[in-house]
Amino acid sequence: MARAVILTIGDELTSGRVVDTNSATLATRLRHAGIETPLHLTCPDGVDQIVRWLEVAHTVADVVITTGGLGPPRMTSPTRPSRRTPG
């Protein structure tokens, strides 16, 4: 079975201000498509943290799905972290 890690990004998630419903929805849809999601991660906004968790995620699965992390003030480009990680 294929494996994917779900990485949700946002200070609002790590602080508990917002409940992460994206991971559950994505995991359900992936499972129906025959893809296992053995790990769901949540990290704060910030390029260094995102890069660190992307590196961890790539050790568990070949595919990493990210959601969130696009808002100001700390994120200026949603592609910045992906340029610093393998895969």
Side-chain angles (χ1 to χ4, degrees):
M1 178 179 276
R3 294 164 56 107
V5 170
I6 298 171
L7 173 62
T8 55
I9 303 165
D11 291 337
E12 69 282 3
L13 299 170
T14 58
S15 70
R17 288 186 316 231
V18 174
V19 175
D20 171 22
T21 58
N22 289 343
S23 290
T25 300
L26 287 167
T28 298
R29 290 180 181 218
L30 289 167
R31 185 176 61 250
H32 289 300
I35 301 170
E36 177 186 8
T37 56
L39 184 62
H40 301 184
L41 299 168
T42 303
C43 74
D45 291 316
V47 173
D48 291 337
Q49 294 94 333
I50 295 168
V51 168
R52 184 170 38 251
W53 286 114
L54 283 170
E55 291 170 346
V56 169
H58 277 290
T59 67
V60 177
D62 295 321
V63 175
V64 179
I65 298 171
T66 62
T67 180
L70 302 178
R74 294 170 62 188
M75 290 297 295
T76 57
S77 168
T79 60
R80 279 180 58 195
S82 64
R83 285 187 244 147
R84 293 178 41 194
T85 58

